[in-house]
Tab-separated table of all heavy atoms in Angstrom:
chain	number	residue	atom	x	y	z
T	1	MET	N	9.069	11.200	5.168
T	1	MET	CA	8.888	9.762	5.323
T	1	MET	C	7.694	9.243	4.447
T	1	MET	O	6.531	9.759	4.694
T	1	MET	CB	8.671	9.388	6.732
T	1	MET	CG	8.415	7.911	6.962
T	1	MET	SD	9.842	7.044	7.301
T	1	MET	CE	9.155	5.345	7.603
T	2	LYS	N	7.971	8.460	3.483
T	2	LYS	CA	6.867	8.076	2.639
T	2	LYS	C	6.391	6.656	3.127
T	2	LYS	O	7.104	5.908	3.801
T	2	LYS	CB	7.259	7.908	1.160
T	2	LYS	CG	8.415	6.943	0.963
T	2	LYS	CD	8.775	7.012	-0.532
T	2	LYS	CE	9.866	6.028	-0.829
T	2	LYS	NZ	10.350	5.975	-2.187
T	3	ARG	N	5.127	6.464	2.813
T	3	ARG	CA	4.588	5.099	3.126
T	3	ARG	C	3.432	4.726	2.197
T	3	ARG	O	2.863	5.587	1.565
T	3	ARG	CB	4.035	5.011	4.560
T	3	ARG	CG	2.881	5.900	4.906
T	3	ARG	CD	2.421	5.852	6.298
T	3	ARG	NE	1.269	6.638	6.652
T	3	ARG	CZ	0.039	6.338	6.446
T	3	ARG	NH1	-0.303	5.118	5.965
T	3	ARG	NH2	-0.970	7.150	6.766
T	4	ALA	N	3.231	3.423	2.074
T	4	ALA	CA	2.203	2.910	1.264
T	4	ALA	C	0.804	3.127	1.907
T	4	ALA	O	0.726	3.149	3.106
T	4	ALA	CB	2.438	1.433	0.942
T	5	TYR	N	-0.226	3.227	1.045
T	5	TYR	CA	-1.556	3.376	1.523
T	5	TYR	C	-2.473	2.674	0.666
T	5	TYR	O	-2.294	2.632	-0.575
T	5	TYR	CB	-1.900	4.839	1.589
T	5	TYR	CG	-3.356	5.177	1.820
T	5	TYR	CD1	-3.902	4.965	3.108
T	5	TYR	CD2	-4.211	5.565	0.796
T	5	TYR	CE1	-5.268	5.181	3.299
T	5	TYR	CE2	-5.503	5.753	0.955
T	5	TYR	CZ	-6.115	5.573	2.300
T	5	TYR	OH	-7.388	5.863	2.483
T	6	VAL	N	-3.454	1.974	1.200
T	6	VAL	CA	-4.558	1.312	0.406
T	6	VAL	C	-5.849	2.003	0.710
T	6	VAL	O	-6.334	2.189	1.843
T	6	VAL	CB	-4.682	-0.167	0.723
T	6	VAL	CG1	-5.854	-0.776	0.084
T	6	VAL	CG2	-3.398	-0.933	0.446
T	7	ASN	N	-6.486	2.465	-0.344
T	7	ASN	CA	-7.824	3.042	-0.318
T	7	ASN	C	-8.883	1.874	0.005
T	7	ASN	O	-9.147	1.143	-1.025
T	7	ASN	CB	-8.193	3.896	-1.440
T	7	ASN	CG	-9.526	4.589	-1.303
T	7	ASN	OD1	-10.437	4.199	-0.643
T	7	ASN	ND2	-9.665	5.730	-2.087
T	8	PRO	N	-9.408	1.771	1.155
T	8	PRO	CA	-10.364	0.635	1.387
T	8	PRO	C	-11.659	0.742	0.653
T	8	PRO	O	-12.313	-0.272	0.436
T	8	PRO	CB	-10.591	0.716	2.885
T	8	PRO	CG	-10.397	2.166	3.252
T	8	PRO	CD	-9.248	2.588	2.354
T	9	ASP	N	-11.954	1.945	0.091
T	9	ASP	CA	-13.201	2.075	-0.695
T	9	ASP	C	-13.015	1.518	-2.111
T	9	ASP	O	-13.984	1.309	-2.787
T	9	ASP	CB	-13.583	3.557	-0.776
T	9	ASP	CG	-14.060	4.103	0.557
T	9	ASP	OD1	-14.481	3.302	1.426
T	9	ASP	OD2	-13.824	5.295	0.879
T	10	LEU	N	-11.734	1.364	-2.531
T	10	LEU	CA	-11.505	0.867	-3.908
T	10	LEU	C	-11.062	-0.570	-3.918
T	10	LEU	O	-11.351	-1.278	-4.898
T	10	LEU	CB	-10.332	1.729	-4.519
T	10	LEU	CG	-10.635	3.225	-4.804
T	10	LEU	CD1	-9.430	3.968	-5.354
T	10	LEU	CD2	-11.793	3.422	-5.748
T	11	CYS	N	-10.297	-0.981	-2.901
T	11	CYS	CA	-9.775	-2.340	-2.870
T	11	CYS	C	-10.881	-3.388	-3.056
T	11	CYS	O	-11.927	-3.276	-2.400
T	11	CYS	CB	-8.993	-2.566	-1.591
T	11	CYS	SG	-8.425	-4.204	-1.398
T	12	ILE	N	-10.627	-4.330	-3.914
T	12	ILE	CA	-11.588	-5.433	-4.102
T	12	ILE	C	-11.055	-6.729	-3.524
T	12	ILE	O	-11.643	-7.801	-3.652
T	12	ILE	CB	-11.906	-5.694	-5.638
T	12	ILE	CG1	-10.596	-5.925	-6.373
T	12	ILE	CG2	-12.632	-4.446	-6.096
T	12	ILE	CD1	-10.904	-6.284	-7.824
T	13	GLY	N	-9.895	-6.616	-2.777
T	13	GLY	CA	-9.432	-7.857	-2.076
T	13	GLY	C	-8.880	-9.023	-2.995
T	13	GLY	O	-8.983	-10.120	-2.551
T	14	CYS	N	-8.338	-8.554	-4.111
T	14	CYS	CA	-7.875	-9.660	-4.987
T	14	CYS	C	-6.678	-10.353	-4.469
T	14	CYS	O	-6.300	-11.404	-4.861
T	14	CYS	CB	-7.568	-9.065	-6.347
T	14	CYS	SG	-6.057	-8.043	-6.416
T	15	GLY	N	-5.951	-9.754	-3.496
T	15	GLY	CA	-4.781	-10.309	-2.850
T	15	GLY	C	-3.424	-10.190	-3.657
T	15	GLY	O	-2.459	-10.661	-3.157
T	16	LEU	N	-3.545	-9.467	-4.744
T	16	LEU	CA	-2.215	-9.443	-5.519
T	16	LEU	C	-1.150	-8.722	-4.807
T	16	LEU	O	0.031	-9.117	-4.779
T	16	LEU	CB	-2.552	-8.651	-6.853
T	16	LEU	CG	-1.459	-8.694	-7.894
T	16	LEU	CD1	-2.087	-8.726	-9.254
T	16	LEU	CD2	-0.593	-7.429	-7.727
T	17	CYS	N	-1.491	-7.591	-4.115
T	17	CYS	CA	-0.454	-6.817	-3.360
T	17	CYS	C	0.067	-7.605	-2.229
T	17	CYS	O	1.259	-7.613	-1.877
T	17	CYS	CB	-1.009	-5.468	-2.916
T	17	CYS	SG	-2.364	-5.657	-1.899
T	18	VAL	N	-0.769	-8.414	-1.626
T	18	VAL	CA	-0.387	-9.251	-0.499
T	18	VAL	C	0.655	-10.385	-1.005
T	18	VAL	O	1.643	-10.670	-0.328
T	18	VAL	CB	-1.570	-9.919	0.210
T	18	VAL	CG1	-1.131	-10.813	1.393
T	18	VAL	CG2	-2.558	-8.859	0.702
T	19	SER	N	0.354	-10.859	-2.116
T	19	SER	CA	1.314	-11.883	-2.695
T	19	SER	C	2.642	-11.171	-3.147
T	19	SER	O	3.714	-11.791	-2.967
T	19	SER	CB	0.676	-12.466	-3.948
T	19	SER	OG	-0.454	-13.092	-3.730
T	20	THR	N	2.565	-9.921	-3.593
T	20	THR	CA	3.710	-9.259	-4.135
T	20	THR	C	4.660	-8.783	-2.910
T	20	THR	O	5.840	-8.974	-3.011
T	20	THR	CB	3.289	-7.992	-4.891
T	20	THR	OG1	2.395	-8.417	-5.929
T	20	THR	CG2	4.607	-7.352	-5.545
T	21	VAL	N	4.052	-8.174	-1.922
T	21	VAL	CA	4.855	-7.695	-0.750
T	21	VAL	C	4.091	-8.061	0.520
T	21	VAL	O	3.558	-7.235	1.199
T	21	VAL	CB	4.965	-6.190	-0.852
T	21	VAL	CG1	6.215	-5.740	-0.142
T	21	VAL	CG2	4.956	-5.601	-2.267
T	22	PRO	N	4.217	-9.313	0.924
T	22	PRO	CA	3.602	-9.636	2.150
T	22	PRO	C	4.134	-9.065	3.368
T	22	PRO	O	3.638	-9.089	4.483
T	22	PRO	CB	3.822	-11.207	2.124
T	22	PRO	CG	4.932	-11.497	1.277
T	22	PRO	CD	4.848	-10.409	0.264
T	23	GLU	N	5.368	-8.417	3.264
T	23	GLU	CA	5.952	-7.701	4.451
T	23	GLU	C	5.201	-6.446	4.692
T	23	GLU	O	5.468	-5.879	5.721
T	23	GLU	CB	7.439	-7.338	4.111
T	23	GLU	CG	8.346	-8.572	3.817
T	23	GLU	CD	8.305	-9.145	2.431
T	23	GLU	OE1	7.522	-8.649	1.642
T	23	GLU	OE2	9.125	-10.087	2.136
T	24	VAL	N	4.399	-5.996	3.793
T	24	VAL	CA	3.797	-4.640	3.912
T	24	VAL	C	2.218	-4.707	3.932
T	24	VAL	O	1.516	-4.058	4.713
T	24	VAL	CB	4.205	-3.737	2.701
T	24	VAL	CG1	3.449	-2.420	2.796
T	24	VAL	CG2	5.636	-3.417	2.841
T	25	PHE	N	1.728	-5.585	3.020
T	25	PHE	CA	0.180	-5.672	2.909
T	25	PHE	C	-0.286	-6.976	3.496
T	25	PHE	O	0.353	-8.074	3.469
T	25	PHE	CB	-0.148	-5.641	1.358
T	25	PHE	CG	0.278	-4.354	0.572
T	25	PHE	CD1	1.382	-4.469	-0.091
T	25	PHE	CD2	-0.361	-3.228	0.814
T	25	PHE	CE1	1.848	-3.356	-0.896
T	25	PHE	CE2	0.058	-2.080	0.061
T	25	PHE	CZ	1.222	-2.222	-0.707
T	26	GLN	N	-1.527	-6.866	4.022
T	26	GLN	CA	-2.194	-7.976	4.474
T	26	GLN	C	-3.707	-7.815	4.267
T	26	GLN	O	-4.184	-6.680	4.179
T	26	GLN	CB	-1.908	-8.313	5.951
T	26	GLN	CG	-2.528	-7.314	6.916
T	26	GLN	CD	-2.183	-7.605	8.367
T	26	GLN	OE1	-1.365	-8.535	8.698
T	26	GLN	NE2	-2.671	-6.802	9.266
T	27	LEU	N	-4.439	-8.899	4.206
T	27	LEU	CA	-5.976	-8.808	4.032
T	27	LEU	C	-6.513	-8.701	5.500
T	27	LEU	O	-6.142	-9.518	6.307
T	27	LEU	CB	-6.529	-9.910	3.274
T	27	LEU	CG	-6.135	-10.122	1.784
T	27	LEU	CD1	-6.906	-11.252	1.132
T	27	LEU	CD2	-6.419	-8.758	1.008
T	28	ASN	N	-7.393	-7.779	5.693
T	28	ASN	CA	-7.965	-7.642	7.021
T	28	ASN	C	-9.142	-8.564	7.150
T	28	ASN	O	-9.522	-9.321	6.249
T	28	ASN	CB	-8.294	-6.157	7.303
T	28	ASN	CG	-9.378	-5.575	6.496
T	28	ASN	OD1	-10.119	-6.309	5.773
T	28	ASN	ND2	-9.475	-4.229	6.356
T	29	ALA	N	-9.903	-8.385	8.281
T	29	ALA	CA	-11.062	-9.259	8.497
T	29	ALA	C	-12.158	-9.139	7.515
T	29	ALA	O	-12.924	-10.058	7.261
T	29	ALA	CB	-11.609	-8.950	9.932
T	30	GLU	N	-12.163	-8.043	6.779
T	30	GLU	CA	-13.156	-7.885	5.757
T	30	GLU	C	-12.729	-8.280	4.403
T	30	GLU	O	-13.421	-8.069	3.413
T	30	GLU	CB	-13.586	-6.317	5.669
T	30	GLU	CG	-14.489	-5.844	6.773
T	30	GLU	CD	-13.833	-5.540	7.984
T	30	GLU	OE1	-12.755	-4.906	7.934
T	30	GLU	OE2	-14.289	-6.009	9.103
T	31	GLY	N	-11.498	-8.864	4.336
T	31	GLY	CA	-10.957	-9.221	3.057
T	31	GLY	C	-10.400	-8.159	2.255
T	31	GLY	O	-10.254	-8.232	0.967
T	32	ILE	N	-10.124	-7.000	2.842
T	32	ILE	CA	-9.617	-5.815	2.172
T	32	ILE	C	-8.149	-5.699	2.519
T	32	ILE	O	-7.812	-5.846	3.690
T	32	ILE	CB	-10.389	-4.569	2.493
T	32	ILE	CG1	-11.905	-4.725	2.130
T	32	ILE	CG2	-9.805	-3.305	1.961
T	32	ILE	CD1	-12.000	-4.927	0.596
T	33	SER	N	-7.360	-5.317	1.616
T	33	SER	CA	-5.948	-5.157	1.851
T	33	SER	C	-5.675	-3.890	2.770
T	33	SER	O	-6.376	-2.850	2.645
T	33	SER	CB	-5.154	-4.907	0.552
T	33	SER	OG	-3.826	-4.591	0.859
T	34	GLU	N	-4.714	-4.016	3.691
T	34	GLU	CA	-4.309	-2.873	4.501
T	34	GLU	C	-2.820	-2.927	4.643
T	34	GLU	O	-2.192	-4.027	4.568
T	34	GLU	CB	-4.998	-2.945	5.813
T	34	GLU	CG	-4.592	-4.123	6.710
T	34	GLU	CD	-5.283	-4.165	7.984
T	34	GLU	OE1	-6.280	-3.450	8.194
T	34	GLU	OE2	-4.920	-5.063	8.846
T	35	VAL	N	-2.274	-1.726	4.868
T	35	VAL	CA	-0.854	-1.719	5.108
T	35	VAL	C	-0.579	-1.956	6.629
T	35	VAL	O	-1.181	-1.196	7.450
T	35	VAL	CB	-0.204	-0.297	4.749
T	35	VAL	CG1	1.172	-0.172	5.167
T	35	VAL	CG2	-0.342	-0.108	3.192
T	36	TYR	N	0.152	-2.938	6.962
T	36	TYR	CA	0.324	-3.204	8.417
T	36	TYR	C	1.745	-2.969	8.924
T	36	TYR	O	1.990	-3.192	10.094
T	36	TYR	CB	-0.084	-4.700	8.728
T	36	TYR	CG	0.867	-5.631	8.218
T	36	TYR	CD1	1.812	-6.241	9.176
T	36	TYR	CD2	0.948	-6.078	6.885
T	36	TYR	CE1	2.804	-7.227	8.676
T	36	TYR	CE2	1.816	-7.058	6.470
T	36	TYR	CZ	2.760	-7.592	7.340
T	36	TYR	OH	3.638	-8.555	6.910
T	37	ALA	N	2.639	-2.652	8.016
T	37	ALA	CA	4.035	-2.410	8.447
T	37	ALA	C	4.690	-1.357	7.565
T	37	ALA	O	4.234	-1.192	6.348
T	37	ALA	CB	4.810	-3.716	8.363
T	38	GLU	N	5.654	-0.711	8.044
T	38	GLU	CA	6.423	0.212	7.229
T	38	GLU	C	7.105	-0.619	6.193
T	38	GLU	O	7.565	-1.762	6.376
T	38	GLU	CB	7.496	0.983	8.097
T	38	GLU	CG	6.829	2.070	8.875
T	38	GLU	CD	7.936	2.908	9.643
T	38	GLU	OE1	9.087	2.879	9.249
T	38	GLU	OE2	7.537	3.589	10.591
T	39	THR	N	7.360	0.000	5.011
T	39	THR	CA	8.068	-0.629	3.890
T	39	THR	C	9.596	-0.714	4.120
T	39	THR	O	10.188	0.336	4.319
T	39	THR	CB	7.823	0.108	2.563
T	39	THR	OG1	6.357	0.226	2.392
T	39	THR	CG2	8.440	-0.597	1.406
T	40	PRO	N	10.105	-1.860	4.175
T	40	PRO	CA	11.573	-1.955	4.268
T	40	PRO	C	12.196	-1.323	3.074
T	40	PRO	O	11.644	-1.398	2.010
T	40	PRO	CB	11.831	-3.461	4.341
T	40	PRO	CG	10.526	-4.118	4.692
T	40	PRO	CD	9.514	-3.205	4.185
T	41	GLU	N	13.387	-0.711	3.201
T	41	GLU	CA	14.039	-0.030	2.084
T	41	GLU	C	14.093	-0.854	0.829
T	41	GLU	O	13.895	-0.299	-0.211
T	41	GLU	CB	15.421	0.494	2.571
T	41	GLU	CG	15.383	1.878	3.202
T	41	GLU	CD	14.585	2.898	2.413
T	41	GLU	OE1	14.931	3.048	1.195
T	41	GLU	OE2	13.745	3.558	2.917
T	42	ASP	N	14.429	-2.115	1.017
T	42	ASP	CA	14.688	-2.932	-0.155
T	42	ASP	C	13.337	-3.558	-0.742
T	42	ASP	O	13.394	-4.267	-1.638
T	42	ASP	CB	15.570	-4.150	0.152
T	42	ASP	CG	15.100	-5.064	1.212
T	42	ASP	OD1	14.039	-4.713	1.941
T	42	ASP	OD2	15.584	-6.140	1.411
T	43	LYS	N	12.191	-2.971	-0.251
T	43	LYS	CA	10.941	-3.544	-0.777
T	43	LYS	C	10.201	-2.488	-1.556
T	43	LYS	O	9.029	-2.716	-2.010
T	43	LYS	CB	10.040	-4.040	0.424
T	43	LYS	CG	10.496	-5.228	1.075
T	43	LYS	CD	10.489	-6.415	0.160
T	43	LYS	CE	11.148	-7.658	0.857
T	43	LYS	NZ	11.205	-8.795	-0.216
T	44	TRP	N	10.768	-1.267	-1.644
T	44	TRP	CA	9.963	-0.188	-2.388
T	44	TRP	C	9.724	-0.613	-3.837
T	44	TRP	O	8.686	-0.263	-4.381
T	44	TRP	CB	10.700	1.184	-2.297
T	44	TRP	CG	10.410	1.770	-0.963
T	44	TRP	CD1	11.278	2.068	0.099
T	44	TRP	CD2	9.108	2.361	-0.605
T	44	TRP	NE1	10.572	2.687	1.099
T	44	TRP	CE2	9.305	2.897	0.768
T	44	TRP	CE3	7.834	2.401	-1.192
T	44	TRP	CZ2	8.203	3.482	1.416
T	44	TRP	CZ3	6.826	3.015	-0.493
T	44	TRP	CH2	6.947	3.532	0.742
T	45	ASP	N	10.673	-1.177	-4.528
T	45	ASP	CA	10.472	-1.580	-5.868
T	45	ASP	C	9.240	-2.514	-6.004
T	45	ASP	O	8.395	-2.369	-6.825
T	45	ASP	CB	11.687	-2.355	-6.453
T	45	ASP	CG	12.854	-1.355	-6.813
T	45	ASP	OD1	12.606	-0.172	-6.835
T	45	ASP	OD2	13.883	-1.848	-7.139
T	46	ASP	N	9.115	-3.429	-5.011
T	46	ASP	CA	8.013	-4.346	-5.034
T	46	ASP	C	6.697	-3.554	-4.688
T	46	ASP	O	5.639	-3.861	-5.282
T	46	ASP	CB	8.140	-5.437	-3.912
T	46	ASP	CG	9.241	-6.369	-4.391
T	46	ASP	OD1	9.589	-6.436	-5.553
T	46	ASP	OD2	9.781	-7.045	-3.497
T	47	VAL	N	6.718	-2.674	-3.796
T	47	VAL	CA	5.468	-1.801	-3.554
T	47	VAL	C	5.105	-1.050	-4.758
T	47	VAL	O	3.846	-1.027	-5.087
T	47	VAL	CB	5.774	-0.804	-2.341
T	47	VAL	CG1	4.696	0.158	-2.216
T	47	VAL	CG2	5.957	-1.658	-1.036
T	48	TYR	N	6.031	-0.463	-5.450
T	48	TYR	CA	5.657	0.243	-6.726
T	48	TYR	C	5.145	-0.726	-7.719
T	48	TYR	O	4.236	-0.379	-8.584
T	48	TYR	CB	6.850	1.066	-7.172
T	48	TYR	CG	7.031	2.417	-6.465
T	48	TYR	CD1	8.206	2.517	-5.654
T	48	TYR	CD2	6.053	3.378	-6.461
T	48	TYR	CE1	8.326	3.693	-4.883
T	48	TYR	CE2	6.245	4.493	-5.686
T	48	TYR	CZ	7.371	4.630	-4.884
T	48	TYR	OH	7.544	5.823	-4.161
T	49	ASP	N	5.625	-1.961	-7.842
T	49	ASP	CA	5.032	-2.948	-8.709
T	49	ASP	C	3.587	-3.205	-8.335
T	49	ASP	O	2.725	-3.281	-9.170
T	49	ASP	CB	5.817	-4.294	-8.594
T	49	ASP	CG	7.051	-4.315	-9.419
T	49	ASP	OD1	7.333	-3.332	-10.178
T	49	ASP	OD2	7.938	-5.247	-9.259
T	50	ALA	N	3.328	-3.280	-7.005
T	50	ALA	CA	1.925	-3.460	-6.580
T	50	ALA	C	1.061	-2.251	-6.899
T	50	ALA	O	-0.149	-2.368	-7.346
T	50	ALA	CB	1.915	-3.723	-5.081
T	51	VAL	N	1.674	-1.092	-6.763
T	51	VAL	CA	0.858	0.145	-7.182
T	51	VAL	C	0.487	0.076	-8.642
T	51	VAL	O	-0.657	0.310	-8.981
T	51	VAL	CB	1.768	1.445	-6.908
T	51	VAL	CG1	1.087	2.621	-7.617
T	51	VAL	CG2	1.939	1.601	-5.430
T	52	ASP	N	1.416	-0.321	-9.502
T	52	ASP	CA	1.102	-0.442	-10.994
T	52	ASP	C	0.212	-1.574	-11.264
T	52	ASP	O	-0.552	-1.534	-12.241
T	52	ASP	CB	2.443	-0.591	-11.722
T	52	ASP	CG	3.271	0.684	-11.649
T	52	ASP	OD1	2.744	1.803	-11.437
T	52	ASP	OD2	4.506	0.545	-11.881
T	53	SER	N	0.287	-2.700	-10.436
T	53	SER	CA	-0.420	-3.861	-10.828
T	53	SER	C	-1.860	-3.916	-10.260
T	53	SER	O	-2.704	-4.701	-10.732
T	53	SER	CB	0.293	-5.135	-10.347
T	53	SER	OG	1.579	-5.155	-10.898
T	54	CYS	N	-2.136	-3.227	-9.230
T	54	CYS	CA	-3.442	-3.246	-8.567
T	54	CYS	C	-4.576	-2.984	-9.655
T	54	CYS	O	-4.524	-1.902	-10.287
T	54	CYS	CB	-3.487	-2.213	-7.431
T	54	CYS	SG	-5.204	-2.124	-6.769
T	55	PRO	N	-5.436	-3.916	-9.841
T	55	PRO	CA	-6.456	-3.745	-10.821
T	55	PRO	C	-7.372	-2.610	-10.744
T	55	PRO	O	-8.047	-2.158	-11.668
T	55	PRO	CB	-7.240	-5.060	-10.806
T	55	PRO	CG	-7.040	-5.593	-9.347
T	55	PRO	CD	-5.610	-5.152	-9.062
T	56	VAL	N	-7.531	-2.026	-9.478
T	56	VAL	CA	-8.407	-0.957	-9.320
T	56	VAL	C	-7.720	0.325	-8.807
T	56	VAL	O	-8.262	1.251	-8.306
T	56	VAL	CB	-9.534	-1.292	-8.272
T	56	VAL	CG1	-10.460	-2.382	-8.799
T	56	VAL	CG2	-8.958	-1.823	-6.938
T	57	LYS	N	-6.350	0.235	-8.905
T	57	LYS	CA	-5.437	1.423	-8.584
T	57	LYS	C	-5.847	1.918	-7.126
T	57	LYS	O	-5.931	3.148	-6.931
T	57	LYS	CB	-5.728	2.576	-9.551
T	57	LYS	CG	-5.403	2.144	-11.020
T	57	LYS	CD	-3.899	1.844	-11.124
T	57	LYS	CE	-3.520	1.408	-12.520
T	57	LYS	NZ	-2.422	0.481	-12.596
T	58	ALA	N	-5.939	0.992	-6.219
T	58	ALA	CA	-6.200	1.369	-4.879
T	58	ALA	C	-4.990	1.732	-3.953
T	58	ALA	O	-5.159	2.302	-2.901
T	58	ALA	CB	-6.976	0.205	-4.106
T	59	ILE	N	-3.806	1.413	-4.538
T	59	ILE	CA	-2.608	1.600	-3.716
T	59	ILE	C	-1.989	2.891	-4.190
T	59	ILE	O	-1.799	3.199	-5.339
T	59	ILE	CB	-1.678	0.422	-3.864
T	59	ILE	CG1	-2.344	-0.867	-3.613
T	59	ILE	CG2	-0.529	0.618	-2.857
T	59	ILE	CD1	-1.563	-2.080	-4.066
T	60	SER	N	-1.501	3.676	-3.189
T	60	SER	CA	-0.763	4.858	-3.455
T	60	SER	C	0.409	4.939	-2.441
T	60	SER	O	0.438	4.267	-1.461
T	60	SER	CB	-1.618	6.135	-3.442
T	60	SER	OG	-2.249	6.210	-2.210
T	61	VAL	N	1.393	5.772	-2.725
T	61	VAL	CA	2.470	6.058	-1.797
T	61	VAL	C	2.346	7.517	-1.422
T	61	VAL	O	2.277	8.384	-2.294
T	61	VAL	CB	3.802	5.774	-2.483
T	61	VAL	CG1	4.960	6.199	-1.525
T	61	VAL	CG2	3.998	4.361	-2.884
T	62	ILE	N	2.187	7.759	-0.108
T	62	ILE	CA	2.020	9.129	0.324
T	62	ILE	C	3.240	9.502	1.135
T	62	ILE	O	3.915	8.720	1.764
T	62	ILE	CB	0.718	9.257	1.161
T	62	ILE	CG1	0.779	8.293	2.291
T	62	ILE	CG2	-0.436	8.956	0.268
T	62	ILE	CD1	-0.452	8.469	3.245
T	63	ASP	N	3.534	10.845	1.065
T	63	ASP	CA	4.648	11.386	1.725
T	63	ASP	C	4.154	12.064	2.973
T	63	ASP	O	3.424	13.086	2.957
T	63	ASP	CB	5.347	12.403	0.800
T	63	ASP	CG	6.691	12.874	1.455
T	63	ASP	OD1	6.864	12.757	2.712
T	63	ASP	OD2	7.490	13.268	0.660
T	64	GLU	N	4.443	11.512	4.149
T	64	GLU	CA	3.939	12.035	5.378
T	64	GLU	C	4.502	13.373	5.800
T	64	GLU	O	4.022	13.972	6.747
T	64	GLU	CB	4.134	11.022	6.539
T	64	GLU	CG	3.318	9.748	6.284
T	64	GLU	CD	3.310	8.876	7.493
T	64	GLU	OE1	4.447	8.470	7.945
T	64	GLU	OE2	2.270	8.456	7.959
T	65	ASP	N	5.634	13.774	5.142
T	65	ASP	CA	6.148	15.092	5.391
T	65	ASP	C	5.351	16.254	4.920
T	65	ASP	O	5.350	17.355	5.277
T	65	ASP	CB	7.581	15.198	4.948
T	65	ASP	CG	8.495	14.314	5.669
T	65	ASP	OD1	8.175	13.977	6.792
T	65	ASP	OD2	9.597	13.948	5.095
T	66	LEU	N	4.485	15.900	3.870
T	66	LEU	CA	3.587	16.980	3.296
T	66	LEU	C	2.399	17.205	4.159
T	66	LEU	O	1.894	16.312	4.853
T	66	LEU	CB	3.099	16.475	1.919
T	66	LEU	CG	4.168	16.320	0.837
T	66	LEU	CD1	3.562	15.781	-0.377
T	66	LEU	CD2	4.848	17.638	0.491
T	67	PRO	N	1.971	18.467	4.244
T	67	PRO	CA	0.831	18.778	5.116
T	67	PRO	C	-0.446	18.052	4.469
T	67	PRO	O	-0.498	18.034	3.241
T	67	PRO	CB	0.698	20.190	4.966
T	67	PRO	CG	1.499	20.706	3.834
T	67	PRO	CD	2.590	19.687	3.675
T	68	THR	N	-1.271	17.458	5.316
T	68	THR	CA	-2.385	16.716	4.772
T	68	THR	C	-3.554	17.802	4.625
T	68	THR	O	-3.674	18.747	5.319
T	68	THR	CB	-2.854	15.651	5.784
T	68	THR	OG1	-3.028	16.210	7.068
T	68	THR	CG2	-1.875	14.537	5.794
T	69	GLU	N	-4.367	17.511	3.601
T	69	GLU	CA	-5.474	18.446	3.361
T	69	GLU	C	-6.636	18.049	4.271
T	69	GLU	O	-6.916	16.921	4.478
T	69	GLU	CB	-5.975	18.271	1.896
T	69	GLU	CG	-4.932	18.834	0.861
T	69	GLU	CD	-5.450	18.654	-0.536
T	69	GLU	OE1	-6.656	18.816	-0.703
T	69	GLU	OE2	-4.700	18.560	-1.456
T	70	GLU	N	-7.257	19.081	4.832
T	70	GLU	CA	-8.355	18.925	5.786
T	70	GLU	C	-9.747	18.788	4.901
T	70	GLU	O	-9.836	19.477	3.901
T	70	GLU	CB	-8.437	19.938	6.824
T	70	GLU	CG	-7.258	19.924	7.763
T	70	GLU	CD	-7.262	18.695	8.619
T	70	GLU	OE1	-8.364	18.148	8.897
T	70	GLU	OE2	-6.133	18.266	8.941
C	101	LIG	FE1	-6.831	-4.584	-3.010
C	101	LIG	FE2	-5.335	-3.692	-5.102
C	101	LIG	FE3	-4.182	-5.228	-3.219
C	101	LIG	FE4	-5.973	-6.270	-4.955
C	101	LIG	S1	-3.897	-5.408	-5.441
C	101	LIG	S2	-5.836	-6.635	-2.718
C	101	LIG	S3	-7.420	-4.596	-5.257
C	101	LIG	S4	-5.118	-3.141	-2.953
């Protein structure tokens, strides 16, 4: 199961991903983007657009089936 992820250390809160896929991204109280919902199947193209468009490359798609590195 894959899901979108925003690195809060990189995000500058420009809001582009929130505009692109409001179903998945929102700005938190600190003005930083966070993923608040699973990506609907028909929104993955938009999520990948956001990955490519993020000015600081803060968004990635991770596969939760893979073991995480400690
Ligand atoms: Fe943050 Fe990138 Fe989204 Fe802009 S596009 S709010 S920098 S994650």
Side-chain angles (χ1 to χ4, degrees):
M1 174 95 177
K2 61 183 179 177
R3 66 180 177 88
Y5 169 75
V6 174
N7 183 334
D9 295 329
L10 294 178
C11 175
I12 56 172
C14 74
L16 189 146
C17 58
V18 178
S19 302
T20 305
V21 208
E23 297 85 353
V24 174
F25 301 100
Q26 66 182 5
L27 295 183
N28 65 17
E30 283 82 46
I32 298 300
S33 175
E34 63 183 11
V35 173
Y36 74 97
E38 286 186 17
T39 302
E41 271 310 309
D42 63 346
K43 292 295 176 186
W44 277 112
D45 283 352
D46 292 339
V47 167
Y48 283 113
D49 279 350
V51 170
D52 291 340
S53 301
C54 174
V56 291
K57 302 296 180 207
I59 309 170
S60 53
V61 174
I62 57 177
D63 190 335
E64 291 188 309
D65 289 339
L66 295 176
T68 52
E69 291 182 32
E70 293 295 328

